[in-house]
Amino acid sequence: MDTVKRALEYIFLCSSTVVITLQAFQIALFLGWLYIVFILTVVLGLIKLRPIPGAMLFASPLSLLNAFLYSTILLSKITRAQSPDVDTTSSGSNNGGIGVTSAASIPTQGSATVVIAGTTTTFEPQFTVPASADIGAPLIPNINDPMAIDAQTVCPGYTGSNVVRTALGLTATLSLAGEPCNVYGTDVDVLNLTVEYQSADRLSVKIVPAFIDDSNATQYIIPSYVVHEPTADADAETTSLTNDLSFVWSNDPTFSFSVYRVSNGDMLFSTAGTNLVFENQFVEFVSPLPENYNLYGLGERIHGLRLGNNFTATIYAADTGDPIDYNLYGSHPFYLDTRYYKVDSNTGNLSLVTSNTTNETSDYISISHGVYLRNLHGQEILLRPTNITWRLLGGSIELYFFAGPTQPAVTAQYQMGAIGLPAMQQYFTLGFHQCRWGYANWSQLQEVVDNYAKFSIPLETVWLDIDVYNQYRDFENDPITFSYSEGEAFLSELHANGRHFVPIIDAAIYIPNPDNASDAYAPYENGNDTTFLTNPDGSTYIGSVWPGYTVFPDWLGSAHQWWINEMVNWHNQVAFDGAWIDMSEVSSFCVGSCGSGNLSLNPVHPPFLLPGEPGAVIYEYPEGFNLTNATEAAAASSASASQSAASASAAGPAPSTTTTPNYLRTTPTPGLRDVNHPPYVINNVQGDLAVHAVSPNATHADGTQEYDVHNVFGHQILNATYQSLLEIFQGKRPFIIGRSTFAGSGMFAGHWGGDNGSKFYYMYFGIPQALSFSLFGIPMFGVDTCGFNGNSDEELCNRWMQLSAFFPFYRNHNVLSAIPQEAYVWASVIDATKRAMNIRYQLLPYMYTLFYLAHTTGSTVMRALPWEFPNDPSLAGADRQFFLGPAILVTPVLVQGATTVDGVFPGVGKGEVYYDWYTQAAVNATAGQNVTIDAPLGHIPVYIRGGYVIPTQEPALVTRDARNNPWGLLVSLGLGGSASGSLYIDDGESLVPNATLYVEFTASNSALYASGRGTYNDTNPLANITILGVQQSVTNVSLNGMSISSGVSYNGTNKALTITGLQNATSQGAWLQDWTLTWG
């Protein structure tokens, strides 16, 4: 009997210890470690526990302690489940109009007491913010509301008067043309119109209230220090005379304006026949569009490249996991409009093309223009079959029209004339980056680095997610898992090996528990009264993010210098090489200032389960996983069903009856604004503007409400981070990847596509997302390769690692608790990755040159097919292929299970030729043909467009070593036997390089010329030159007149000439002097 009792007690001790340990860690990290230390001291005999004599069941006091702890935890969970939620419904309280429950009224789940080594210890389980805290008012978007009023039918419009010509345009007064409608706000009686021809290609149309004072200035006027304001060029009085845009206005029947293209009379934009609506919380203007129009941009969202003509594009920065077609992290109120025309072969007359079906024997041209609305407010753009309607939640109308007439011209005009040119990237940033949420410590990160080296896979930069922080608090490492001392050793070795490190930095700042002296947090204490956002009553606005209750930097207050100081201080402890800015929409996990009065609960758990916690275990896999991994898929499906059933059971029975939602519909109050619930409801992905975001009535130091500047919080934190890195790395280019962006953010940072999923369709959507950001002036773009949310699998990761090798920013990243997906996890992915990386790393000089041109001229890096071939209407919606620069065509497999892919070769039949990267042979394709291309798993079709000279360099595991390798040139001759290209070289990091070198290449008539200018001294020799499309056998090759007798080979099958062994002839540097290579 004693043996049975001992066995039962042993089993209970083991199982209860595991359960209590897990539960303790969920409550607080220190409790989990405290319990583990206690158990170890018992096991090691450091604490002696005397058996209880005559015990009926358990003889060990440890068993009784475990039973007590387990019962306490269970009782706590039952009590917590029965506790009322925090009231976060609208109540009109002075904390921002959001109901806030005080700490005294929130159940703290009770306390637990244990005796350890004779000492009684009492602790509080961690409070979890209730899910209801992030539920806003029930709203129905205006576009879906059958009760919504159409402003066009009830508002009077305006009448223009007092027209005055100016040197660059005109000014006028617009007066309300009738009784105010006050449909979604208070009508503004009098407006000022200013029209300026600002340059040879830019026209500005600005409509603002005539009477603005200190009480309402921030509602309408955007300071230029927040977002750049385009102004007339210094020579505009001369250059604007050649502007191809013309502004016309009319008062028939009310004020309207139109913008025409002078060269062909095409109407580009017109409000004729509609009423201008201008209220303090609602602005609307409408313009017709041609049938089957081609609009691109209006981001950020997951959508095809071409927006379509039955779509509503909402612009409101939102923290959301990449839902399709909804507003996401960034705000980019810009669109490109491309119109195709058929050319009459006899007269040359143009007729508008309203179909993407083309005749291969006909000739077409396209003409493009761009439109930018400089407005920070939430807005939506209704794209309908015949028109575009712009609806704003406030602000002014500041429209900028760009004449084009091509996409490259429009994009350059938009950047150079309105938002600024993109930042030049450091060379190392073009290498491969590895990240995940869930790296446990420095040692595990070292294992990742070692594994990449073990399999000879290039790795440039390792990243850490919020795991790096002490309880998720910015600027403070976890002292156990990511200690500063261990980190110093790790980073020292990492840097010595030519690699880099980038950590995440969230926008929210932890506010410590005032009742717990040990909870002190210096970054918060270092702020002052104007560092963080406030409630309307002046109290600190306190939301909830990863570390618990948090505050938010006030970029219109003193947060800039405070942020710089914190970044510098942290870098003194952790030698990072760049910054990854997240949660910057800005995100908050509760509605309103939910932490006000509740700080004694901090740190609190977010109002949702973290990935991997019980009830949130990840069982999701890519499409087709059941076909390739049937047994594992079945097990995952069964476990997922059980988890869903358990969650449903815990949630209780569903309502037995359905009720019609009682939507909140607000009406305007004359002269006042309801910023939390504006009368016009945009189709926001989160519904209520305050859900999962800082409330719109959060207040800045200058009185500005977040409602008026919400969309630029991400832009401002990127600016502050850029200035911080300039302070840290003086003279070097800052490297920043940010989540929330605005027009002009490319001056400071790149962007990643956010929290995508491990699905093939997300792999596809990464292409149009990247191309859209090319239009937005943010070329440094990439996605979470292999997918962030959910588990990836071998096939998806195989395809995606190859595809992303041709994106500017190349990073693998996934979510907490998902299966590992580093490139070395699967054997086939290792091979596929190395094959694609071999191409990418050869192309690094080409890519770096593309970034230089983007930085200096406003050109793009990733390019859509219709931009490179603007005279082919059939390509208007092409977004499953893309060009890297002008010369590299990528045709990836984007669906599960496929071993072939269909692709087009634009321009074939009209003088274009393409060469297969792998075989170097010219592609056999006909005009308009959708070619089926073999693409077995592990192969990504890549083609070189004829007519280009591409500089290459031998790959290495890190870019530092690759930059020291010999050069190569890949010459792809066009059908006429010519090609051209360029190469930009500098030190790869300096903000203002001391020396640069720009080399131009030209091939024609069986000769290749290299001509450089600049003083940068590159000593790497030229190793090889490959010339594709050489139609006749070659018997003689010479460099600067000296015959090359060895290392020359000609392949008569693929028509490729290869010249190797040029190191000796160029031993002092490939570009030290100009040279000519001839063959024949």
Side-chain angles (χ1 to χ4, degrees), residues 256-565:
S256 65
F257 72 91
S258 302
V259 176
Y260 290 88
R261 185 177 293 279
V262 175
S263 58
N264 67 357
D266 193 11
M267 182 178 68
L268 306 185
F269 197 94
S270 176
T271 64
T274 66
N275 291 322
L276 171 64
V277 183
F278 202 117
E279 301 175 341
N280 65 346
Q281 285 199 268
F282 181 73
V283 178
E284 178 178 277
F285 50 95
V286 186
S287 174
L289 285 170
E291 180 183 353
N292 200 31
Y293 51 83
N294 305 294
L295 255 60
Y296 312 88
L298 298 176
E300 179 184 8
R301 70 200 71 261
I302 303 296
H303 190 79
L305 178 63
R306 185 171 176 243
L307 293 174
N309 61 8
N310 187 24
F311 180 67
T312 298
T314 303
I315 295 180
Y316 192 78
D319 172 11
T320 182
D322 282 15
I324 295 170
D325 288 347
Y326 281 94
N327 54 300
L328 295 181
Y329 320 101
S331 303
H332 294 274
F334 166 86
Y335 70 76
L336 171 75
D337 183 340
T338 297
R339 304 180 184 185
Y340 292 92
Y341 301 86
K342 183 177 180 180
V343 181
D344 188 294
S345 59
N346 296 319
T347 65
N349 292 337
L350 305 180
S351 57
L352 184 68
V353 175
T354 58
S355 170
N356 294 124
T357 302
T358 59
N359 185 332
E360 293 301 328
T361 63
S362 299
D363 290 326
Y364 302 88
I365 66 167
S366 72
I367 303 177
S368 296
H369 69 274
V371 179
Y372 167 48
L373 176 67
R374 185 175 176 265
N375 183 287
L376 309 186
H377 285 78
Q379 56 195 266
E380 60 187 18
I381 302 92
L382 284 63
L383 301 177
R384 299 298 182 259
T386 61
N387 59 45
I388 179 173
T389 300
W390 224 308
R391 294 174 177 170
L392 321 173
L393 293 185
S396 301
I397 299 174
E398 294 185 46
L399 285 166
Y400 298 87
F401 297 89
F402 304 93
T406 64
Q407 173 275 323
V410 169
T411 302
Q413 292 158 11
Y414 176 48
Q415 294 176 85
M416 299 183 77
I419 65 169
L421 291 162
M424 182 62 183
Q425 296 296 324
Q426 292 190 54
Y427 200 95
F428 87 83
T429 65
L430 301 182
F432 174 67
H433 306 254
Q434 178 61 55
C435 181
R436 80 159 294 158
W437 180 12
Y439 287 140
N441 47 50
W442 290 120
S443 297
Q444 191 174 95
L445 200 58
Q446 183 64 59
E447 290 176 9
V448 172
V449 175
D450 293 343
N451 279 331
Y452 272 97
K454 174 183 176 181
F455 292 103
S456 299
I457 304 171
L459 173 65
E460 188 70 23
T461 306
V462 288
W463 298 54
L464 280 177
D465 211 307
I466 53 178
D467 318 277
V468 69
Y469 290 123
N470 178 19
Q471 302 179 78
Y472 297 158
R473 304 173 188 186
D474 277 0
F475 310 127
E476 191 176 273
N477 277 34
D478 186 297
I480 298 174
T481 57
F482 289 99
S483 69
Y484 294 129
S485 58
E486 190 178 351
E488 182 179 5
F490 169 82
L491 293 173
S492 177
E493 181 180 351
L494 189 80
H495 290 143
N497 291 326
R499 295 188 172 92
H500 302 82
F501 167 67
V502 174
I504 197 170
I505 305 171
D506 283 343
I509 300 299
Y510 180 74
I511 180 169
N513 186 332
D515 298 337
N516 183 356
S518 66
D519 200 40
Y521 178 54
Y524 170 77
E525 302 295 344
N526 292 339
N528 58 42
D529 292 342
T530 60
T531 302
F532 305 112
L533 294 177
T534 66
N535 289 301
D537 66 357
S539 62
T540 302
Y541 184 101
I542 305 172
S544 169
V545 193
W546 299 116
Y549 290 128
T550 55
V551 295
F552 304 89
D554 181 0
W555 305 114
L556 301 182
S558 60
H560 273 270
Q561 187 58 52
W562 166 84
W563 187 263
I564 292 171
N565 294 342

Side-chain angles (χ1 to χ4, degrees), residues 116-140:
I116 301 176
T119 302
T120 301
T121 302
T122 301
F123 62 90
E124 300 287 341
Q126 185 180 32
F127 175 73
T128 295
V129 177
S132 60
D134 203 25
I135 297 176
L139 302 175
I140 180 171

Side-chain angles (χ1 to χ4, degrees), residues 916-957:
D916 186 297
W917 176 276
Y918 306 96
T919 69
Q920 301 184 339
V923 173
N924 183 19
T926 57
Q929 180 186 16
N930 215 358
V931 180
T932 298
I933 304 163
D934 286 334
L937 191 63
H939 175 77
I940 182 169
V942 179
Y943 301 93
I944 309 154
R945 182 178 170 189
Y948 292 91
V949 179
I950 301 173
T952 64
Q953 217 161 2
E954 292 181 12
L957 295 181

Side-chain angles (χ1 to χ4, degrees), residues 100 131 200 220 331 449 472 489 555 584 747 752 779 781 989 1072:
V100 179
Y220 301 108
S331 303
V449 175
Y472 297 158
W555 305 114
S584 52
M747 293 189 299
W752 96 102
F781 178 91
E989 62 179 20
L1072 181 64

Side-chain angles (χ1 to χ4, degrees), residues 465-792:
D465 211 307
I466 53 178
D467 318 277
V468 69
Y469 290 123
N470 178 19
Q471 302 179 78
Y472 297 158
R473 304 173 188 186
D474 277 0
F475 310 127
E476 191 176 273
N477 277 34
D478 186 297
I480 298 174
T481 57
F482 289 99
S483 69
Y484 294 129
S485 58
E486 190 178 351
E488 182 179 5
F490 169 82
L491 293 173
S492 177
E493 181 180 351
L494 189 80
H495 290 143
N497 291 326
R499 295 188 172 92
H500 302 82
F501 167 67
V502 174
I504 197 170
I505 305 171
D506 283 343
I509 300 299
Y510 180 74
I511 180 169
N513 186 332
D515 298 337
N516 183 356
S518 66
D519 200 40
Y521 178 54
Y524 170 77
E525 302 295 344
N526 292 339
N528 58 42
D529 292 342
T530 60
T531 302
F532 305 112
L533 294 177
T534 66
N535 289 301
D537 66 357
S539 62
T540 302
Y541 184 101
I542 305 172
S544 169
V545 193
W546 299 116
Y549 290 128
T550 55
V551 295
F552 304 89
D554 181 0
W555 305 114
L556 301 182
S558 60
H560 273 270
Q561 187 58 52
W562 166 84
W563 187 263
I564 292 171
N565 294 342
E566 296 307 317
M567 289 280 289
V568 171
N569 291 340
W570 192 42
H571 185 265
N572 290 335
Q573 301 286 339
V574 183
F576 54 80
D577 301 290
W580 171 23
I581 303 300
D582 196 14
M583 311 298 291
S584 52
E585 293 69 34
V586 57
S587 175
S588 177
F589 298 159
C590 63
V591 173
S593 187
C594 63
S596 296
N598 298 327
L599 291 182
S600 60
L601 299 171
N602 237 358
V604 298
H605 189 285
F608 49 82
L609 295 173
L610 297 183
E613 289 184 338
V617 177
I618 297 173
Y619 296 114
E620 187 77 10
Y621 282 90
E623 310 95 315
F625 186 70
N626 59 316
L627 303 176
T628 57
N629 298 268
T631 302
E632 191 174 349
S637 177
S638 176
S640 178
S642 298
Q643 178 170 267
S644 298
S647 298
S649 176
S656 57
T657 59
T658 58
T659 58
T660 302
N662 184 22
Y663 294 117
L664 173 66
R665 293 181 174 91
T666 62
T667 55
T669 300
L672 299 178
R673 298 194 305 169
D674 186 343
V675 295
N676 280 345
H677 299 111
Y680 185 86
V681 180
I682 61 174
N683 190 30
N684 178 29
V685 64
Q686 301 286 11
D688 191 319
L689 300 181
V691 169
H692 228 62
V694 165
S695 180
N697 67 354
T699 307
H700 294 261
D702 65 352
T704 301
Q705 291 182 298
E706 183 67 6
Y707 180 86
D708 299 312
V709 293
H710 167 81
N711 282 338
V712 290
F713 188 101
H715 179 76
Q716 292 171 305
I717 195 174
L718 293 176
N719 183 1
T721 305
Y722 187 87
Q723 304 307 321
S724 301
L725 295 185
L726 285 179
E727 182 71 20
I728 294 168
F729 305 107
Q730 296 188 12
K732 290 187 179 181
R733 305 164 202 160
F735 173 47
I736 308 169
I737 295 295
R739 192 167 78 173
S740 184
T741 58
F742 191 79
S745 292
M747 293 189 299
F748 310 125
H751 174 61
W752 96 102
D755 296 346
N756 62 4
S758 296
K759 300 289 185 181
F760 280 85
Y761 61 83
Y762 272 116
M763 180 168 60
Y764 150 69
F765 275 120
I767 298 174
Q769 195 179 10
L771 294 172
S772 294
F773 273 86
S774 292
L775 294 178
F776 300 150
I778 304 180
M780 188 61 169
F781 178 91
V783 297
D784 284 346
T785 302
C786 300
F788 177 73
N789 283 312
N791 296 308
S792 193

Side-chain angles (χ1 to χ4, degrees), residues 170-184:
L170 61 86
T171 62
T173 300
L174 306 181
S175 304
L176 208 59
E179 290 298 315
C181 60
N182 297 329
V183 60
Y184 296 115

